[in-house]
Amino acid sequence: MDDLRSWVTPGIWLGRGRIVHEETRSTNDDARALASGDAPSGTMVLADRQTAGRGRSGRAWISPPGDNLSFSVIYRPTVPQHLLAPLPLVVGLAVAEALDTLEGLPRTTVKWPNDIRIEGKKVGGVLVEASLRGDSVAWVVIGVGLNVRGLRPPEGLEEIATTLRLGRGRDVSRPAVLDAIVARLEPALDAFGEFGFAPSRDALRARCDTLGKVVEVSGVRGVAEDIGVDGALVLRNADGGVERVYSGEVTG
Ligand code: BTN
């Protein structure tokens, strides 16, 4: 817990204002409440332990104390609502790229839309939630959860999940991971605010281990061929037709 409290190297705007909880229900819930007020863009909520952490698709996100990095950032982009969809992809890519700057870790990949993986196993995920007003975006909360220091994967997920420590073969400091993420995520969000998904798209395609595989998403089955300019996963079905999916769990 002390390691999180002593983290003192925010970016220019990202993490400049921050709240650190020993325990909370969900940092996304805390950040949403702050965002509904006048908390500025970049405000970060960190927690050593979440008692009701949330993942995508209504799943629970388990954060054992001392082990995980669980944080949420308030982001107030000026992009219109209809261009917001690829933001979770941009965040997943930035986190994966940040982890690659830590010495001794195998290269990370991204499973569409935004699971961060090491050697095919999930090490972290991103949960983006937004409040919209017509076509404008009032606020976005970007939640990131990473299994950092655990000596074993979360219980029951041994086959599909891992931790940074297991990937590296030795301990990893949470402030060092946070430094790396802020250094990569802040410019990625600046670029997204100005140019949208375009600056991240090629790097994401190169890192996305979903591409080239036969998968099923939201009832659509096919070869994952591409990630579109709008962030959609582009699938080639058995009839040779092209289908685009915008959300859902990839299986296969
Ligand atoms: C997923 O892979 O399903 C997304 C997981 C996101 C978990 C993070 S932990 C910090 C923030 N607070 C939450 O309740 N969820 C996100």
Side-chain angles (χ1 to χ4, degrees):
M1 176 62 198
D2 289 346
D3 59 340
L4 292 183
R5 285 209 195 281
S6 61
W7 177 67
V8 284
T9 44
I12 295 164
W13 57 271
L14 182 55
R16 199 139 280 274
R18 61 188 174 276
I19 296 155
V20 184
H21 294 292
E22 185 151 4
E23 178 178 299
T24 191
R25 283 178 56 77
S26 155
T27 57
N28 260 43
D29 291 350
D30 296 335
R32 288 173 65 116
L34 291 167
S36 305
D38 56 4
S41 201
T43 304
M44 187 182 265
V45 182
L46 291 133
D48 192 41
R49 176 164 187 258
Q50 297 182 113
T51 54
R54 293 185 286 111
R56 292 190 307 115
S57 311
R59 284 188 302 259
W61 184 263
I62 310 295
S63 323
D67 280 357
N68 284 19
L69 202 46
S70 307
F71 67 89
S72 303
V73 171
I74 297 171
Y75 175 48
R76 300 186 187 275
T78 51
V79 298
Q81 183 260 121
H82 68 274
L83 296 180
L84 198 61
L87 177 62
L89 307 178
V90 171
V91 176
L93 172 69
V95 173
E97 289 179 339
L99 297 181
D100 277 1
T101 68
L102 300 171
E103 187 218 322
L105 267 174
R107 186 172 187 271
T108 54
T109 55
V110 175
K111 178 182 170 188
W112 187 93
N114 49 30
D115 283 359
I116 298 126
R117 308 216 291 179
I118 291 178
E119 293 171 334
K121 291 187 170 183
K122 179 163 175 166
V123 74
V126 175
L127 176 67
V128 171
E129 299 177 306
S131 169
L132 310 173
R133 278 191 209 123
D135 193 36
S136 54
V137 178
W139 51 257
V140 175
V141 165
I142 298 168
V144 176
L146 279 174
N147 303 329
V148 178
R149 303 187 62 214
L151 284 164
R152 55 190 67 84
E155 208 178 322
L157 303 176
E158 291 81 1
E159 296 301 314
I160 57 169
T162 189
T163 71
L164 293 183
R165 185 176 193 158
L166 287 173
R168 191 186 197 201
R170 62 193 154 98
D171 200 6
V172 183
S173 109
R174 293 192 293 185
V177 177
L178 209 42
D179 279 348
I181 291 175
V182 168
R184 188 66 207 99
L185 183 57
E186 186 175 71
L189 293 177
D190 285 338
F192 179 78
E194 199 160 346
F195 307 110
F197 182 39
S200 299
R201 185 170 167 232
D202 283 347
L204 182 62
R205 284 149 119 190
R207 195 178 281 269
C208 181
D209 58 15
T210 313
L211 295 182
K213 291 190 181 145
V214 177
V215 296
E216 188 165 329
V217 197
S218 305
V220 180
R221 188 171 172 77
V223 178
E225 281 198 336
D226 202 2
I227 296 168
V229 292
D230 54 359
L233 187 65
V234 181
L235 299 173
R236 176 84 52 184
N237 65 26
D239 301 330
V242 168
E243 299 193 57
R244 307 168 75 81
V245 290
Y246 290 87
S247 62
E249 293 308 308
V250 172
T251 55

